[in-house]
Amino acid sequence: MNQILDYNPNKTSGGGSSKSDKIVRVFAVLLAIFAVCLLAGGAYGIYKNNKDNKLQTEAPTQAKITIEQGETTAIIKVSHDKAIEKLIYSWDSGKESSIKGTGESYMESEIPLVAGTHTLMVKVTDVDKVETLYKKEITSANGEDKIYPEVNLEVIEGPKIRITATDETAMDFLTYRWNDGEEIRVDVSEEDNKKIQVDIDILKGKNDLLVVAVDKNNNNTTKSNSYTGVVKPEVVITIAVDKRSADVVCKHENGIKEVRLKINDEVYNIDIGEGNPTEVPFKIEEQYFAEGTNVITVTAISVDDTETEVTEEVIPDEQEQPEEPESPINIDIQNVEDSLEVASQASISTSAGIKEILLYINGEAYVVGLDEENQKEISFEITYDLLNEGDNEVTIKVTDINGEEKEETVTITR
C-alpha cells in the first residue's frame, strides 16, 4: 500500500519555539534599560549645564563700604557676605596703605585725616579676589599735612630753568644744586606762603640739577633732571660818528650759521663765508641809510640754534642852523613916562644911511622926515594925539640906501 509522508523543512518542534521567545524578551529588557540610561544621562547633562549657566550669570557680590568723618580722623567700615582679605586706602591717588583682614566679613579701620580738601580712595578685596572700590571727598581743617610738595622744572627764555614748588598748606623752603656743587636755599616769602618760584641760569655743557622742596610739616619732594646749557651769539653794532654807516660783529664759540640784517623795512641776508665761522664782521655802508632816522636790526643764529637780536636806532645830529647876519638897521621904541603929550620915543640907526622911514599907526601910514640925505641916525616922538583911546598897533618900517629893510611893531596904550 502506498504511504503518504508529511514533509515540511521549515516546521520546528514545539520545544524550539519556546526557547526563541525567551531570547527576544531578554533582548527587549536590555534595550529598555539602555534607553533609561540614555535618558538619565541627558537629563543630568541638561541639569548641570543649566546650573553652570546660572552660576556664570550671577554677578559676584560687592562689599558695602561707609566712611564716618570725625575732627581729625575717619573710620572706614566694611561689611560683606564673604570674608574680607584686605583693605587698601590712599589720599588723592597717592601712596597706598594696606590693612590685612582677620578672616571675618566685617572690619573697621580708623585713619588720620589730611588737612584741606582731598579725596579718600578705598579698595576692598574679599577671599574670592573680588574688589570693591569707593571714594569720598573730605574737607578737614584739623587734619594732618601728609601731601608732599609739587615741583615743576621749566626751561624758559635765557636760557634759564624756572623752578616752581607748591604745597596745599604752606611751603617752607627749597634747595637746588648743579652736579655736586654748592646747595642754594630759597625760603618762602610772606606774600605767598604756598609757592616758591626761582629762575636760574643753565650752566654751559651737560649738567645735573637736583631740587628738594620742603613744606612746613617737613614733607619733602626731590626732583632731578639733566640739562645741556648753550649760549647765545654776541652781536655788537657800532655806529659811525657821522651817523651814516655802522660796523657789526657777530660772535659765537661754536659757530654762526646765519646772520640777517634789517634796515627800516628792507631785509638783507649777510654772506658769512664758508663753514660756520665763530666771528662774522661786516660793515653797513652809507648807501643803505635813508635820510633821517634809521632803525637797524641784526639777528645772529648759532649752530646750536640759539638766537640773538639787537636793534639800534640811528638818529642824525641836528644840523646847526646858520646864524642870520646881524641887520644893518636898528630900531628901538621906548615908552615915555610922566608925559602928557609924548607916548613913546623911537630911535633908528643904520650903518649905510637911511633912505626912508614909514610910521604905521593902526594901519594909517605917516612919513617920517629926515634932517639930511643918507642920515644914519634919527630920533622922533610918537605923541598921544596920533593915538586912539585904548591899545594902538604901531609899526616902524625903515629902508636903508642899500635897499635893506627892517620893521618893528609894538602896542602902545593911550
Side-chain angles (χ1 to χ4, degrees):
M1 234 179 136
N2 296 333
Q3 294 182 348
I4 299 173
L5 300 175
D6 184 12
Y7 176 75
N8 187 349
N10 295 324
K11 187 177 180 180
T12 59
S13 65
S17 176
S18 175
K19 182 178 182 180
S20 179
D21 290 341
K22 290 180 179 178
I23 293 172
V24 170
R25 284 195 295 269
V26 171
F27 183 70
V29 171
L30 291 175
L31 286 176
I33 294 171
F34 180 69
V36 170
C37 291
L38 287 177
L39 290 173
Y44 177 75
I46 293 172
Y47 168 77
K48 187 175 185 301
N49 186 56
N50 289 337
K51 183 179 180 181
D52 290 343
N53 288 339
K54 183 177 181 182
L55 291 174
Q56 289 176 3
T57 56
E58 288 182 355
T61 56
Q62 298 280 301
K64 181 180 179 182
I65 304 172
T66 60
I67 298 175
E68 295 181 0
Q69 179 181 350
E71 288 191 5
T72 59
T73 61
I75 300 175
I76 304 173
K77 296 182 178 181
V78 183
S79 59
H80 205 342
D81 58 0
K82 301 180 182 68
I84 300 169
E85 184 178 276
K86 63 180 175 179
L87 180 154
I88 299 174
Y89 72 90
S90 65
W91 291 100
D92 301 321
S93 300
K95 183 180 178 181
E96 293 183 341
S97 298
S98 180
I99 303 172
K100 189 176 181 180
T102 59
E104 298 180 359
S105 61
Y106 178 83
M107 68 180 296
E108 289 186 8
S109 180
E110 185 174 11
I111 63 171
L113 292 177
V114 177
T117 300
H118 303 280
T119 300
L120 177 59
M121 314 286 290
V122 179
K123 179 170 68 175
V124 173
T125 304
D126 63 24
V127 291
D128 293 334
K129 308 302 180 184
V130 176
E131 294 182 348
T132 303
L133 301 177
Y134 182 80
K135 66 179 181 178
K136 181 178 181 181
E137 187 176 88
I138 297 177
T139 300
S140 174
N142 302 316
E144 298 178 358
D145 178 13
K146 289 189 174 293
I147 305 301
Y148 289 77
E150 293 186 5
V151 178
N152 182 58
L153 305 179
E154 178 188 6
V155 179
I156 61 173
E157 184 70 20
K160 293 176 177 289
I161 299 293
R162 174 163 291 170
I163 304 172
T164 305
T166 56
D167 189 71
E168 90 288 356
T169 52
M171 285 296 302
D172 190 6
F173 66 91
L174 69 78
T175 63
Y176 68 89
R177 74 166 184 241
W178 288 104
N179 305 316
D180 296 325
E182 180 185 359
E183 190 174 73
I184 308 299
R185 172 170 170 148
V186 181
D187 291 305
V188 70
S189 65
E190 295 180 357
E191 290 77 15
D192 186 0
N193 67 349
K194 294 185 178 181
K195 178 180 177 181
I196 301 176
Q197 188 173 91
V198 60
D199 297 343
I200 63 174
D201 293 324
I202 300 178
L203 300 183
K204 180 181 173 182
K206 187 173 182 180
N207 299 277
D208 297 324
L209 176 65
L210 178 67
V211 178
V212 179
V214 183
D215 67 15
K216 287 294 185 182
N217 288 282
N218 209 35
N219 299 313
N220 65 82
T221 300
T222 300
K223 194 165 187 178
S224 62
N225 208 345
S226 295
Y227 298 92
T228 300
V230 293
V231 296
K232 287 188 171 186
E234 178 185 356
V235 177
V236 178
I237 303 175
T238 304
I239 307 299
V241 176
D242 61 2
K243 309 295 179 67
R244 301 301 303 167
S245 64
D247 291 303
V248 181
V249 178
C250 303
K251 298 180 181 180
H252 191 273
E253 59 187 20
N254 294 331
I256 301 287
K257 75 173 183 180
E258 184 181 356
V259 175
R260 294 192 297 266
L261 169 66
K262 182 179 179 182
I263 303 177
N264 302 321
D265 295 326
E266 294 292 330
V267 178
Y268 309 90
N269 285 321
I270 302 301
D271 183 8
I272 65 173
E274 296 293 329
N276 300 113
T278 58
E279 183 173 325
V280 178
F282 62 94
K283 187 178 183 67
I284 305 174
E285 302 290 350
E286 182 176 356
Q287 63 264 29
Y288 294 101
F289 282 73
E291 291 296 327
T293 299
N294 289 273
V295 179
I296 300 172
T297 301
V298 177
T299 304
I301 304 173
S302 75
V303 295
D304 297 331
D305 289 325
T306 55
E307 181 176 317
T308 298
E309 182 178 282
V310 175
T311 298
E312 289 280 354
E313 187 176 32
V314 184
I315 303 174
D317 295 331
E318 293 184 3
Q319 299 291 330
E320 293 185 3
Q321 300 296 327
E323 294 183 3
E324 294 184 2
E326 188 176 348
S327 175
I329 302 171
N330 181 54
I331 302 174
D332 183 30
I333 304 174
Q334 299 289 335
N335 291 333
V336 177
E337 302 292 339
D338 302 328
S339 174
L340 299 178
E341 296 181 358
V342 179
S344 298
Q345 179 78 31
S347 299
I348 299 170
S349 61
T350 67
S351 57
I354 303 170
K355 178 181 179 182
E356 181 183 49
I357 300 175
L358 295 178
L359 172 66
Y360 296 89
I361 300 177
N362 299 321
E364 187 175 352
Y366 301 88
V367 177
V368 178
L370 300 173
D371 296 332
E372 57 185 44
E373 188 177 357
N374 299 333
Q375 185 175 344
K376 293 185 177 182
E377 294 182 3
I378 186 173
S379 296
F380 60 90
E381 297 172 346
I382 301 172
T383 57
Y384 281 118
D385 58 352
L386 299 174
L387 305 176
N388 299 327
E389 292 292 335
D391 293 336
N392 297 265
E393 184 180 88
V394 177
T395 301
I396 298 175
K397 182 178 180 181
V398 180
T399 306
D400 69 8
I401 60 175
N402 294 325
E404 295 285 343
E405 295 182 351
K406 185 177 181 180
E407 64 179 44
E408 192 83 26
T409 300
V410 296
T411 298
I412 300 175
T413 302
R414 179 175 178 183

